């Protein structure tokens, strides 16, 4: 697998992620919902100023730190992926790494630029792209757009349950985006197949050393 293939995967994920986010921002009011499949999949527009799946981190200062951390992680990520390609790691690991990198870059774009590019989304008005009066925030202060919602299971905790007894629950409650999904798929796949991925690389290294030894002996 070549480094250009890594770039291609990253670009494809970014195009899908950003196209959906821009469409949501410019066509839906905040908290608007489109039911795609009743009872289990909806497009539900929200924004968050924190981490993936709507989690938050330390207010305004925390947001700046998180955005800068994302920027640093993406820069290091591209360099690390280039190193993995040169070392001829397995295609599966490189694809997963590309997905994680693409997801991080997708949410980074929101955090860096969306505050400057869009007017504020609210319950009454759809956001405007490049509004005459400027965006709702400054550089590093954009909110991440989320929209994928899978309320697959609804019910109530049993009355004997030690936590939230009798209260209603929804599974899966978090609302996320394509970038979050790319990160999750990449991380989970690496965790599940890590032995296979790294064993394949070790086998390649062993075979390479054997070929080198044979060449020297001749």
């Amino acid at each position: 697998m070549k480094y250009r293939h890594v770039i291609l995967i990253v670009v494809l994920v970014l195009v899908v992620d950003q196209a959906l986010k821009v469409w949501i921002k410019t066509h839906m009011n905040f908290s608007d919902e489109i039911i795609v499949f009743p009872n289990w999949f909806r497009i539900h527009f929200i924004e968050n100023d924190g981490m993936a799946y709507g989690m938050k981190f330390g207010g305004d200062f925390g947001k700046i730190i998180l955005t800068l951390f994302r920027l640093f992680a993406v820069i290091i990520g591209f360099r690390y992926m280039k190193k993995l390609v040169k070392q001829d790691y397995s295609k599966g690991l490189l694809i997963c790494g590309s997905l994680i990198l693409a997801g991080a870059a997708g949410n980074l774009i929101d955090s860096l630029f969306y505050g400057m590019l869009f007017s504020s989304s609210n319950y009454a008005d759809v956001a405007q792209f490049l509004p005459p009066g400027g965006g709702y925030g400054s550089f590093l202060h954009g909110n991440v757009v989320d929209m994928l919602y899978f309320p697959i299971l609804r019910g109530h905790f049993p009355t004997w349950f030690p936590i939230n007894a009798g209260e209603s629950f929804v599974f899966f409650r978090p609302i996320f985006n394509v970038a979050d999904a790319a990160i999750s798929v990449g991380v989970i796949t690496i965790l599940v197949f890590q032995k296979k991925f790294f064993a394949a690389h070790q086998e390649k290294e062993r075979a390479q050393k054997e070929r080198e030894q044979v060449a020297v002996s001749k």
Side-chain angles (χ1 to χ4, degrees):
M1 185 171 177
K2 305 296 184 181
Y3 187 62
R4 65 174 179 269
H5 298 143
V6 171
I7 299 299
L8 178 60
I9 293 172
V10 172
V11 169
L12 289 175
V13 173
L14 284 178
V15 167
V16 174
D17 178 65
Q18 290 299 311
L20 182 56
K21 287 174 176 175
V22 171
W23 187 90
I24 293 292
K25 281 285 293 180
T26 56
H27 288 79
M28 296 177 69
N29 295 335
F30 186 81
S31 200
D32 274 357
E33 186 172 86
I34 300 172
I35 298 177
V36 181
F37 294 106
N39 301 322
W40 71 273
F41 177 35
R42 305 177 185 187
I43 300 295
H44 186 101
F45 173 33
I46 64 169
E47 292 178 300
N48 78 80
D49 57 1
M51 298 179 286
Y53 297 99
M55 295 182 286
K56 296 188 176 184
F57 175 71
D60 187 62
F61 178 74
K63 177 173 178 54
I64 295 176
I65 295 299
L66 180 62
T67 302
L68 292 175
F69 175 78
R70 280 176 174 154
L71 178 58
F72 177 77
V74 168
I75 293 172
I76 295 300
F78 274 106
R79 295 183 63 180
Y80 187 63
M81 287 300 298
K82 195 170 187 177
K83 179 180 178 182
L84 293 181
V85 170
K86 286 183 177 179
Q87 294 179 349
D88 198 25
Y89 272 84
S90 69
K91 184 182 295 186
L93 180 64
L94 295 176
I95 291 173
C96 290
S98 302
L99 290 175
I100 296 170
L101 186 57
N107 285 334
L108 175 64
I109 291 172
D110 297 29
S111 298
L112 289 177
F113 304 116
Y114 272 32
M116 300 185 296
L117 297 177
F118 296 96
S119 60
S120 179
S121 296
N122 56 57
Y123 295 99
D125 301 305
V126 174
Q128 183 180 353
F129 181 64
L130 297 177
Y136 65 82
S138 57
F139 183 61
L140 299 177
H141 286 82
N143 293 329
V144 176
V145 176
D146 293 325
M147 77 297 290
L148 304 177
Y149 182 34
F150 292 86
I152 297 171
L153 179 64
R154 296 174 181 269
H156 292 80
F157 290 104
T159 54
W160 50 264
F161 208 66
I163 302 175
N164 301 325
E167 295 184 10
S168 62
F169 71 87
V170 176
F171 180 85
F172 178 72
R173 185 180 294 274
I175 300 172
F176 57 100
N177 57 43
V178 173
D180 296 333
I183 294 172
S184 297
V185 169
V187 170
I188 292 172
T189 304
I190 289 176
L191 291 175
V192 173
F193 296 102
Q194 58 179 315
K195 289 184 178 180
K196 181 178 179 180
F197 290 158
F198 291 103
H201 179 68
Q202 291 171 355
E203 183 62 31
K204 287 180 181 178
E205 287 188 327
R206 189 180 301 111
Q208 179 63 27
K209 288 180 180 179
E210 290 177 354
R211 286 194 295 268
E212 290 175 354
Q213 290 174 354
V214 170
V216 171
S217 63
K218 290 181 178 179

